Amino acid sequence: MKCDRSMLLLYAVTDRAWTGKKTLLQQVEEALAGGATCIQLREKELPEEEFRQEALAVKELCRRYHVPFLINDNVELAVSCGADGVHVGQHDMSAADVRRRIGPGKILGVSAQTVEQARQAEEDGADYLGVGAVFSTSTKSDADAVSHETLQKICAAVSIPVCAIGGIHKENLHLLKGTGIAGVALVSAIFASPDIRKSCEGLKKLALQINAQDTLEALLHTNIRGAIFDADGTLLDSMGIWDTLGEDYLRTKGKIPRENLRETFRDMSLLQAACYYRENYALTESPEKIVEELNAMIASFYEKEAPLKEGAAAFLEELCQRNIKMCIATATDHSLIRAALQRCGVLHYFTFILTCGQAGAGKDTPAIYEEALALLGTGKEETYVFEDALYALKTAKTAGFPTVGVKDPSSAGQEREIIKQADYYLYTFTK
C-alpha cells in the first residue's frame, strides 16, 4: 500500500489523553466509522510490549476498514508489526535512513516546516509531508508555527502530497482553502470529541470542500487534452428522477406507493416495473401503455427540469478555453441528454454524445470509453473520464484512462472506495 492524496484527506492522529471511559481502540473505530482516511498511532510513554499489542490491534481494525495504518516515530515497531508505514519528525531518524530501513513498499511521512526541509524529505524518499503547526495550538509554541504563505510554498515546491496539521478544527479548517494541501491531520478535533464518529463525518465534509478547489486547479494543470463525461450524476443532478419515478407515477393514478417501492423498482426494467405496477396497484392500463407514460415523465424531466450540477457550466467553459476536447458517454437515451444539455446551455461544449446503446455495451466494459477516445482523437493517457459511479470508474481505470470521481448522493455508500479508485475526486465543480 503506497500513499495517494485521498489517504491524507482526514488523517487521524491518536492521543490517549482523551480516552476517558473508552479504550483507544474504541475511539479509533469510531473515527474510522466516521470516515477517517488514515490512522497514525502515536504513543510517547507506553511500554514497548504494550505499544506492540496496541499496534497489532489497531492494524487489524484499519485492515477491516481498508484504511492505511502508520506508527509515529517508532520505525522498528512499524516494521516488525507490519504497519503500512511510519511518520517521523525532523529530530528523529533521518528520512533517508528510515527509507532504507522500511524499504520501498511502505509509506514514509515526514514532518516539515520550511521549503528546504520539504524538498530534502522528498529527495530522501518521503511519500507525503506533514506540515504545521498551521494554527496556534497548546502543544506547539509560536516559534513552531507555519504561515499559510509558507504552506502554499511548500505545496508548490514538492510533487508529493502535503497534509496540514496543528490547531485545526471545524471552525478554522475552511481557512486552509487554496493552500494546495491534500488533507488535514487532526488530534484533539477528533479524539477529544464526545461523538467522534459524528465529528469525523463533519470534518471530512469540510475537508472535501477545501480540497475541491485545489483538486480542480491540480486537474487543470495536468496533461489533460480530452474529457469524457458521464451525464447523470456527474454533470446533471438527475439521479433523483429514477429514485422517485415509480412513486410519482402511481400518485398520478391516485395510488399510494408502498414504502419499499424504490428498492423494488431499482432492479427492474421499465417493462418489468410496468407489469409490477399493473398487478400490485390494480392499474387498468396495459404494460406497454404504462411504459409509454413512464417514458413521457422521464422525457419531461430532462426537457424541462434536469439541472446541471453547481459550477459545472463554468468548469466546462474553462476546459473549452484551454482547448480541451469534450464528449458525453452515457447510458441514458441520446435525445434526453441532448435536450437537458441544450436547455442548460452547455451542449455546444461537446463534440458528440455517445450512448451505451450505440457502443453496444454497458459501462461494465470499456467499449464506450474506447469508442469515445477514437472519436475524440486524443491520447488515452491525456483523456480523463469523469464518472460518479464506482463500477464505471473501475472500468475506465482498468482500461488505462485517468479518472475523475464526482460526488453524487446516489453513490454516497461507495464514496470511500470511489475516492480511493479515482485519480482525482471532485466534491463540487465550484471553485
Side-chain angles (χ1 to χ4, degrees), residues 21-318:
K21 294 181 179 180
K22 298 177 183 177
T23 66
L24 187 72
L25 198 63
Q26 288 173 326
Q27 288 192 314
V28 169
E29 182 155 25
E30 287 181 28
L32 290 167
T37 55
C38 185
I39 299 292
Q40 182 188 131
L41 181 61
R42 185 174 65 178
E43 293 285 5
K44 297 296 185 182
E45 299 178 357
L46 202 65
E48 190 70 13
E49 185 54 33
E50 289 183 41
F51 194 177
R52 173 181 297 279
Q53 293 306 313
E54 182 179 76
L56 291 171
V58 175
K59 182 187 77 170
E60 291 309 310
L61 190 57
C62 289
R63 292 285 187 275
R64 294 211 304 269
Y65 282 85
H66 307 289
V67 165
F69 167 59
L70 279 70
I71 290 178
N72 179 268
D73 290 352
N74 196 324
V75 178
E76 295 307 317
L77 179 58
V79 172
S80 66
C81 80
D84 296 307
V86 64
H87 185 97
V88 295
Q90 286 294 316
H91 304 298
D92 303 314
M93 185 188 300
S94 75
D97 288 341
V98 175
R99 174 54 73 198
R100 283 190 287 272
R101 179 67 185 91
I102 67 176
K106 290 190 181 294
I107 299 167
L108 173 57
V110 178
S111 297
Q113 293 181 304
T114 67
V115 170
E116 291 73 21
Q117 289 176 353
R119 286 175 173 158
Q120 186 62 54
E122 181 175 24
E123 184 179 330
D124 289 343
D127 294 301
Y128 76 88
L129 300 174
V131 176
V134 294
F135 297 107
S136 60
T137 168
S138 60
T139 59
K140 295 284 184 179
S141 68
D142 291 340
D144 290 325
V146 174
S147 71
H148 290 192
E149 181 182 4
T150 298
L151 179 60
Q152 281 182 308
K153 289 180 179 178
I154 289 173
C155 290
V158 296
S159 61
I160 55 178
V162 173
C163 187
I165 188 170
I168 304 168
H169 49 73
K170 65 180 181 180
E171 283 80 20
N172 63 15
L173 199 154
H174 70 281
L175 298 175
L176 296 171
K177 189 171 184 178
T179 57
I181 60 170
V184 289
L186 305 169
V187 187
S188 61
I190 292 176
F191 292 104
S193 170
D195 190 335
I196 291 175
R197 178 171 181 165
K198 186 175 180 180
S199 292
C200 282
E201 289 171 350
L203 289 163
K204 187 174 184 180
K205 184 176 291 186
L206 293 172
L208 281 167
Q209 288 172 344
I210 68 142
N211 203 259
Q213 177 181 2
D214 300 326
T215 301
L216 281 171
E217 290 297 330
L219 180 59
L220 290 170
H221 287 85
T222 62
N223 62 336
I224 183 170
R225 301 304 307 152
I228 301 173
F229 285 95
D230 171 54
D232 293 300
T234 299
L235 288 176
L236 295 171
D237 191 4
S238 54
M239 295 302 290
I241 180 66
W242 301 101
D243 283 338
T244 63
L245 181 62
E247 297 173 5
D248 294 341
Y249 175 74
L250 289 171
R251 289 192 182 99
T252 68
K253 300 297 182 180
K255 307 295 182 180
I256 300 176
R258 294 167 187 167
E259 288 186 5
N260 64 345
L261 184 64
R262 295 186 188 189
E263 287 70 28
T264 303
F265 179 69
R266 186 169 292 138
D267 297 326
M268 293 183 180
S269 67
L270 284 183
L271 182 58
Q272 288 173 325
C275 292
Y276 178 86
Y277 300 153
R278 191 171 190 274
E279 294 170 5
N280 290 273
Y281 291 90
L283 299 182
T284 58
E285 292 84 355
S286 68
E288 291 73 21
K289 179 62 175 176
I290 295 173
V291 169
E292 180 183 328
E293 291 174 342
L294 287 169
N295 277 324
M297 290 178 65
I298 295 168
S300 177
F301 172 75
Y302 280 93
E303 291 167 5
K304 301 176 182 178
E305 299 179 49
L308 276 179
K309 288 196 166 180
E310 184 180 4
F315 181 65
L316 294 172
E317 173 62 24
E318 185 148 14

Side-chain angles (χ1 to χ4, degrees), residues 347-359:
L347 181 63
H348 64 284
Y349 291 121
F350 302 102
T351 307
F352 57 87
I353 298 172
L354 183 65
T355 69
C356 289
Q358 292 170 319

